[in-house]
Amino acid sequence: MTISTLTRGGAQREQQHCLRKMERVIIAMQDPDIGLKMRNQRLLITVIPHAMTGNDIMEWLIQKYNITDEEAGHLGGLLVQYGYIYPLKEPRSLILRSDDSPYRFQTPYFWTSSRWPASELDYAIYLAKKNIRKQGELVDYEKQNYNLLHKRINHTWDFVVMQAREQIRASKQRRKADRIVLECQEQAYWLVNKPCPGAFDVFDLGPERCNVLNSRVILNSSLLFFLLRISSVPNNSLSSHFLLSLSCVCSFMKFCDQYHQHDPIMSGCLPSNPWISDDTTHWTINTDLVGTPTRLRVERWSFSFMELLNDCLGRREFMTYLEKEFSGENLCFWEACEDLRHGESSKIILKVEEVYKTFLSPGAARWVNIDSKTMERTLEGIKQPHRFVMDDAQMHIYFLMKKDSYPRYLKSDLYKNMLSKAIVPQETKKSVFPFMRRQRHSSPSPAMVSQATEDNEPKYL
Amino acid sequence: MRFSISPEMATQEVQPNETLSNLKAESDTLKTKLEDERAKLHDVELHQVAEKVDGLGQFIMKTRRTLKGHGNKVLCMDWCKDKRRIVSSSQDGKVIVWDAFTTNKEHAVTMPCTWVMACAYAPSGCAVACGGLDNKCSVYPLSLDKNENLAAKKKSVAMHTNYLSACSFTNSDMQILTSSGDGTCALWDVESGQLLQSFHGHAADVLCLDLAPSETGNTFISGGCDKKANVWDMRSGQCIQSFETHESDINSVRYYPSGDAFASGSDDATCRLYDLRADREVAIYSKESIIFGASSVDFSLSGRLLFGGYNDYTINVWDVLKGTRVSILFGHENRVSALRVSPDGTAFCSGSWDHTLRVWA
C-alpha cells in the first residue's frame, strides 16, 4: 500500500467536492451582477486591471454568507491557499490580508482542479524561464528542483530551454500590465503546486482511499438489500407512518430536555468545570464508589434502567434492594451473562458451566426464574456452549428486572433516602483574581490502581 | 424497515448470464423505485418540530489545554474512562498517552509503521489499541515501570488486508472491533487474536465505526467510501440497516446518546442525523460557507450539540434539534482529524494535522 500524494485517482476523489465548491464561490464572486466590483489596482508604477483588494473580498464573503469577519477571513484565506485568488504584492505569501492589498482571480486555465497533477515538463520550462530571465531569481528549493529535473529529463533539456526562451521572447512583446499579470498567474500556480518544503501543501492528503473491491459480490448483496427494502415499504396508511416519524423526532427533543441539566457543556457543572477552573472537585465528588453521591447523579438513575446499571453505585444500591426482595440472583445472573458475552473466548466453556451450576440447574443455589420455553432452549444450547448461548435467558431476566423490580425500586424508601441524602455542591464563583492559576494535580493512573488490587486477574497472558 | 436476511440468500450464486452492467442497472432501478416510494410518505423534519424548542444562547468555548509533543500529524484520539486521560496517534508512528488535565505525557510507544490512523483506550484504562498502515490492530498493556519497553509486551490482535481505519474495544478489554480499507469490519478476541465475526457489505474502504450504547448492546454502525452508513448485528454479522444519502466518503459516525439515532460527517461538507427507528435521515447540518469535509463528529452529553471537526481547520458546533450552527471555533492550523467528547461530557478534545491536540470547554 502506497501513500500517494499525487495520484490522479486518489487525490481527485477526496478533493473533488471541495474544489468544485470553491470554484462555485469564485464564479459567484466574479458574477457581473452579484459579484465583486473589480477595478484597476496600482502595483508600484503599473496599473493592473480587473483586480480587487483584500478588503473587498472579505466584505463580499461577509455579506454573501452572513458570516463574521473571522470566518470570512478564514474562508478567503483558504481560497488564496488553494490558488483561486493570488496576491499581487508579496506573491510568495499566500495569505489574505484584509486591507487594500491587491488580489486577482486566478485564470481557470491554472485552477488547481484543471491542471492536476502538474506536468514535470511545464515545471522545468517555468524554472528555466526564471533562471534565464534573471540569474539568482530561483530560491533554494527551486534550485534543488531545477537540478533534479535537469537530471531526470535530461534527454529533453534542449527542448525545455528552447521553449523557455521562446516564451520569454513572446512575453517581451506584450504590454507591461499583461506581462505582469501572466507572470503572476503562472507564479501563483507553481507556488500552490510546488510549494516550498514545510509550507502548506494542497496535495498532502494522506493514505490513498477507495480500493475497488469485488463489484459483483457487492452488487449482488446490494440488489438483495433493495429487493427486501422495497417489499417491506409500508402499504398501510400514510398517517401511521407520519405518526411514527413524528414520535421518533419528538423523542429527541424529550431526551435533550431530560439530560439538559446533566450536560456540563450546556448547563455547566458543580462546583465548577475542572477544565476551566483547574479544580478537580467535580471529579472527586463523582468517583465511582463515592460515599455520598450528588443529587444529579441519583436523579439520573431514574431516567432509564440502563442508567442505573451503568453506574456502579447505582447498581450496588439496586442489588441491595433486590436482596431485600430475595431476587438478587437476577442481577447476579445478568452480570454473569455479561461477563460471558464480553470475556475471553478461552473461558467460555468454563463460564457457561459455572452459570449453569449456579443459576439454571435444578436445585441451583441461586436459581433464576425463566419461562419454560426459554429454559428449554438455553439448556439445549448449553450442550454446545458459545458466547451467546445465554442471550435469550439474559434478555428475559433483564426485562423482568426492568419492568418489575426497577420501577418499584424508584418508588422505594431506599431510593428516596438516597435522593434526599444526595449532595448538591455549591457553585464556585469565578475567582477574583483570574490570573492566579491553581496547581494542576495529577491523578493515579487506572493502570496503577488495577495493578495494586489484590484479586486482580492478569488481563493478558 | 428492519428485516433479516438468511445467510443463504446473501451468498446466492449469480446467474452466469447476468453481466455486471445488468446487475448495476437493476440495482439502480430498484434504488430509484425505493426512493420514489419513500418520497410519497410524508416525513416530518426534525427542525420543523423543534421550532418550539428554546434557542441556545451565546456559546463560548475555548481551548483549555494544548497538548504538544507529537512531531507529526495527529490522526486519532480516544478518552480514557477516567475522564482525563487521552491516547493519541500520529503519522510518524507515535502513540502517546497523556493526562490531558496536567498535559503530562505518561506513556509513549513507537509503532513500526507510519500513519497510525486508529487508536483506542481500553475500558479498564490498562491498555491501548492502535493500528494503521501495518494493516493490523495491536494492543499494548500500559506499564507504569518507566524502564519497561511498552513495545515488548505488544500483542497483535487484528489482521486485515488493507489499512486499519478505526478500532474500538467493546464493553470489556477482551474484544476489539476494527474497520479497514479492505472494506470489512471485524470483531476479535484479544487474548487469542481469533476472528470472532466479520462484517461484509461495504463496497469500498470502511473509514469509521461506533458501538451502540443501547441496552441490548449488540449493534454497531460503520461508514465508508461507498457513501453508505451501515448498521450491523454483532452476533450474526448481518447488515440490518443501511443509509445512503451522503454525496461523498463518510469519515465519521457517532451514535446519539440514546442509541436511537446517529450522526455522520462526510467529505461532502455536511453532517447528517439518521433516525434508526424511523429508518431515515432526519436532519442535515450544512452551510454554504462550509466547503471542506467533516472529518470527525461527536455529540455533547445531552445530544443537543453536535461538534464537527472539519478539513478547513475549524470546528463547527451545531444545534442538533434546530439544525442551525451555534458557533465556529478557530485555533487549529491544519485540518482537524479527530474529535471526541469526554466520557462525562465536561469537555471535548480535537486532534489535528498541526501536530497538536486541544481540549475545549
Side-chain angles (χ1 to χ4, degrees):
Chain A
M1 224 229 73
T2 53
I3 306 173
S4 184
T5 51
L6 269 180
T7 320
R8 193 174 190 88
Q12 203 172 46
R13 276 200 68 264
E14 198 181 315
Q15 294 281 47
Q16 227 175 23
H17 274 266
C18 307
L19 294 179
R20 269 202 254 126
K21 285 204 178 108
M22 276 197 275
E23 283 155 22
R24 275 204 284 274
V25 175
I26 291 293
I27 291 170
M29 279 174 95
Q30 295 178 76
D31 183 280
D33 299 319
I34 60 162
L36 281 178
K37 295 288 163 273
M38 288 182 278
R39 299 179 281 270
N40 294 343
Q41 292 286 341
R42 195 160 221 109
L43 187 67
L44 295 176
I45 52 166
T46 326
V47 171
I48 314 282
H50 302 306
M52 59 270 182
T53 66
N55 205 32
D56 290 338
I57 297 169
M58 289 272 293
E59 300 243 328
W60 189 87
L61 288 170
I62 291 171
Q63 225 227 3
K64 169 85 158 88
Y65 295 114
N66 193 16
I67 52 181
T68 60
D69 276 16
E70 201 177 5
E71 197 176 349
H74 185 83
L75 182 55
L78 285 167
L79 291 172
V80 175
Q81 263 190 330
Y82 278 77
Y84 288 98
I85 292 177
Y86 60 89
L88 292 168
K89 232 178 3 182
E90 282 180 67
R92 286 193 180 277
S93 170
L94 292 175
I95 59 173
L96 179 69
R97 274 176 250 269
S98 58
D99 50 22
D100 59 2
S101 308
Y103 289 84
R104 277 190 110 251
F105 290 107
Q106 179 63 286
T107 176
Y109 180 78
F110 277 131
W111 276 357
T112 309
S113 55
S114 319
R115 307 176 60 65
W116 187 354
S119 141
E120 273 197 330
L121 197 60
D122 286 342
Y123 191 40
I125 294 169
Y126 167 70
L127 289 175
K129 268 198 302 187
K130 277 188 102 168
N131 204 27
I132 293 168
R133 257 204 305 262
K134 192 161 125 186
Q135 283 289 350
E137 176 120 351
L138 293 177
V139 290
D140 285 331
Y141 79 94
E142 283 174 335
K143 278 199 203 111
Q144 273 175 9
N145 286 342
Y146 183 79
N147 292 333
L148 271 167
L149 281 168
H150 186 86
K151 260 190 233 141
R152 201 152 57 217
I153 55 172
N154 201 299
H155 50 283
T156 58
W157 206 253
D158 288 339
F159 172 74
V160 168
V161 174
M162 204 166 64
Q163 267 296 93
R165 290 219 164 92
E166 177 57 37
Q167 287 184 11
I168 293 173
R169 197 192 58 78
S171 78
K172 282 208 173 99
Q173 301 192 329
R174 293 198 189 94
R175 276 175 41 219
K176 187 164 181 202
D178 290 344
R179 187 163 21 110
I180 292 182
V181 160
L182 286 167
E183 274 171 22
C184 285
Q185 279 174 353
E186 199 183 14
Q187 181 172 237
Y189 173 75
W190 290 112
L191 282 171
V192 169
N193 280 269
K194 293 282 180 199
C196 173
F200 175 74
D201 184 359
V202 164
F203 301 96
D204 188 10
L205 293 168
E208 205 173 301
R209 290 181 180 178
C210 232
N211 310 277
V212 178
L213 300 167
N214 186 346
S215 324
R216 185 173 289 267
V217 168
I218 302 302
L219 273 175
N220 202 33
S221 65
S222 208
L223 204 63
L224 199 60
F225 189 87
F226 286 129
L227 273 168
L228 287 160
R229 287 288 288 277
I230 287 272
S231 66
S232 62
V233 165
N235 288 322
N236 49 4
S237 64
L238 287 177
S239 60
S240 65
H241 176 89
F242 175 81
L243 284 173
L244 169 67
S245 214
L246 186 64
S247 81
C248 289
V249 152
C250 285
S251 73
F252 298 131
M253 298 191 334
K254 204 170 132 223
F255 186 91
C256 288
D257 192 41
Q258 190 179 40
Y259 281 84
H260 184 91
Q261 288 299 115
H262 299 255
D263 185 340
I265 293 175
M266 299 286 294
S267 316
C269 53
L270 302 170
S272 63
N273 188 320
W275 299 101
I276 301 176
S277 65
D278 287 352
D279 173 22
T280 56
T281 309
H282 175 76
W283 286 333
T284 44
I285 62 176
N286 279 305
T287 52
D288 278 355
L289 294 170
V290 73
T292 317
T294 61
R295 194 180 178 88
L296 275 178
R297 182 175 177 180
V298 181
E299 270 174 16
R300 210 163 144 177
W301 300 346
S302 67
F303 289 177
S304 74
F305 187 39
M306 217 47 219
E307 285 284 359
L308 178 67
L309 287 184
N310 280 342
D311 184 341
C312 3
L313 196 61
R315 195 191 287 200
R316 200 176 64 179
E317 285 294 300
F318 187 57
M319 179 66 95
T320 312
Y321 175 74
L322 287 178
E323 306 265 85
K324 281 208 177 129
E325 297 218 318
F326 305 105
S327 54
E329 67 278 357
N330 287 342
L331 187 55
C332 291
F333 176 69
W334 182 83
E335 285 181 332
C337 292
E338 282 289 284
D339 187 43
L340 167 67
R341 262 198 328 161
H342 298 290
E344 300 99 311
S345 292
S346 59
K347 301 212 173 122
I348 289 177
I349 297 178
L350 194 71
K351 286 184 180 171
V352 171
E353 249 181 63
E354 279 286 323
V355 169
Y356 173 72
K357 266 202 329 239
T358 319
F359 300 101
L360 298 173
S361 63
R366 311 207 72 183
W367 192 78
V368 286
N369 195 355
I370 313 175
D371 68 284
S372 52
K373 235 173 73 186
T374 312
M375 180 66 96
E376 218 179 281
R377 246 202 325 264
T378 308
L379 292 177
E380 191 58 41
I382 287 178
K383 294 185 184 152
Q384 273 156 350
H386 61 91
R387 186 179 292 275
F388 303 109
V389 74
M390 296 291 174
D391 269 15
D392 286 344
Q394 183 185 8
M395 192 77 73
H396 180 92
I397 293 294
Y398 177 84
F399 282 110
L400 191 69
M401 290 192 288
K402 177 177 171 176
K403 293 278 164 4
D404 183 40
S405 317
Y406 172 63
R408 284 190 288 113
Y409 166 69
L410 292 179
K411 298 199 189 92
S412 71
D413 288 334
L414 198 65
Y415 178 70
K416 292 206 174 104
N417 285 341
M418 202 59 165
L419 203 55
S420 62
K421 270 191 330 182
I423 56 175
V424 181
Q426 272 248 306
E427 187 187 353
T428 310
K429 294 289 178 227
K430 287 215 164 64
S431 137
V432 180
F433 301 102
F435 308 109
M436 241 164 56
R437 209 179 75 170
R438 296 177 97 117
Q439 221 210 351
R440 294 169 183 168
H441 297 286
S442 53
S443 71
S445 164
M448 182 175 87
V449 170
S450 107
Q451 271 174 24
T453 53
E454 282 178 332
D455 56 341
N456 184 40
E457 275 187 357
K459 290 192 167 58
Y460 301 95
L461 297 173
Chain B
M1 295 300 136
R2 267 185 223 91
F3 55 87
S4 60
I5 315 177
S6 61
E8 301 84 44
M9 288 167 96
T11 54
Q12 234 170 24
E13 282 299 308
V14 177
Q15 296 309 310
N17 56 355
E18 276 176 314
T19 64
L20 206 58
S21 51
N22 282 355
L23 271 180
K24 179 101 183 40
E26 208 181 327
S27 177
D28 287 341
T29 319
L30 277 176
K31 187 174 176 204
T32 319
K33 188 165 174 216
L34 183 64
E35 275 161 22
D36 287 343
E37 286 295 310
R38 314 220 70 228
K40 289 184 201 152
L41 305 165
H42 289 287
D43 283 327
V44 61
E45 295 301 317
L46 177 53
H47 67 90
Q48 291 169 303
V49 180
E51 256 164 41
K52 316 179 206 103
V53 175
D54 284 338
L56 298 171
Q58 223 214 348
F59 187 84
I60 300 173
M61 261 184 119
K62 294 193 202 151
T63 301
R64 305 290 174 176
R65 302 287 190 277
T66 306
L67 305 178
K68 296 192 183 148
H70 277 291
N72 217 310
K73 305 181 173 71
V74 176
L75 303 175
C76 187
M77 59 87 30
D78 191 18
W79 287 90
C80 175
K81 285 223 156 74
D82 77 348
K83 310 156 192 174
R84 50 189 284 173
R85 282 174 171 77
I86 280 175
V87 62
S88 60
S89 63
S90 70
Q91 182 192 356
D92 59 5
K94 284 246 167 30
V95 176
I96 301 179
V97 174
W98 318 70
D99 176 352
F101 187 70
T102 57
T103 73
N104 292 337
K105 298 190 225 351
E106 292 192 342
H107 306 270
V109 175
T110 307
M111 294 272 287
C113 67
T114 56
W115 287 92
V116 186
M117 294 174 269
C119 64
Y121 224 121
S124 68
C126 299
V128 292
C130 48
L133 283 189
D134 56 353
N135 300 357
K136 296 200 273 230
C137 183
S138 310
V139 176
Y140 291 86
L142 296 176
S143 161
L144 281 153
D145 181 351
K146 293 291 174 204
N147 296 321
E148 189 163 6
N149 181 12
L150 281 187
K153 287 253 179 85
K154 162 176 151 177
K155 207 175 178 43
S156 235
V157 175
M159 286 279 283
H160 279 279
T161 53
N162 213 311
Y163 65 87
L164 191 83
S165 53
C167 65
S168 174
F169 284 89
T170 61
N171 287 28
S172 77
D173 285 18
M174 305 299 128
Q175 292 174 318
I176 285 189
L177 190 59
T178 58
S179 66
S180 165
D182 65 12
T184 68
C185 298
L187 184 66
W188 310 83
D189 175 60
V190 174
E191 187 190 41
S192 62
Q194 189 198 9
L195 172 69
L196 297 173
Q197 183 64 259
S198 68
F199 305 89
H200 298 261
H202 276 288
D205 311 25
V206 187
L207 299 176
C208 51
L209 58 83
D210 192 30
L211 281 147
S214 72
E215 39 191 8
T216 47
N218 265 334
T219 59
F220 74 94
I221 44 176
S222 66
C225 286
D226 56 356
K227 313 174 200 169
K228 286 211 278 230
N230 290 341
V231 183
W232 305 87
D233 178 300
M234 276 211 274
R235 184 175 162 173
S236 64
Q238 301 293 353
C239 172
I240 51 181
Q241 272 177 291
S242 184
F243 302 89
E244 192 175 347
T245 61
H246 271 294
E247 294 163 19
S248 186
D249 302 2
I250 297 177
N251 296 315
S252 177
V253 286
R254 193 74 67 212
Y255 270 96
Y256 183 79
S258 71
D260 293 327
F262 70 92
S264 60
S266 160
D267 273 348
D268 66 6
T270 67
C271 296
R272 294 170 198 239
L273 186 70
Y274 298 92
D275 186 326
L276 292 165
R277 292 153 308 162
D279 193 37
R280 63 179 187 98
E281 176 192 288
V282 292
I284 303 182
Y285 307 102
S286 68
K287 216 171 178 306
E288 265 196 318
S289 58
I290 299 174
I291 289 173
F292 285 77
S295 63
S296 195
V297 297
D298 204 356
F299 286 98
S300 72
L301 194 140
S302 64
R304 182 66 192 267
L305 299 173
L306 180 68
F307 299 101
Y310 287 73
N311 291 338
D312 65 359
Y313 326 164
T314 65
I315 294 164
N316 287 290
V317 186
W318 302 92
D319 180 332
V320 171
L321 300 179
K322 289 191 178 284
T324 54
R325 186 182 65 184
V326 169
S327 179
I328 177 169
L329 304 173
F330 297 96
H332 279 299
E333 291 162 14
N334 206 322
R335 46 166 100 176
V336 178
S337 51
L339 192 154
R340 295 297 290 265
V341 172
S342 76
D344 63 351
T346 48
F348 74 85
C349 178
S350 59
S352 161
W353 281 20
D354 68 2
H355 309 187
T356 69
L357 293 120
R358 285 172 180 244
V359 179
W360 307 73

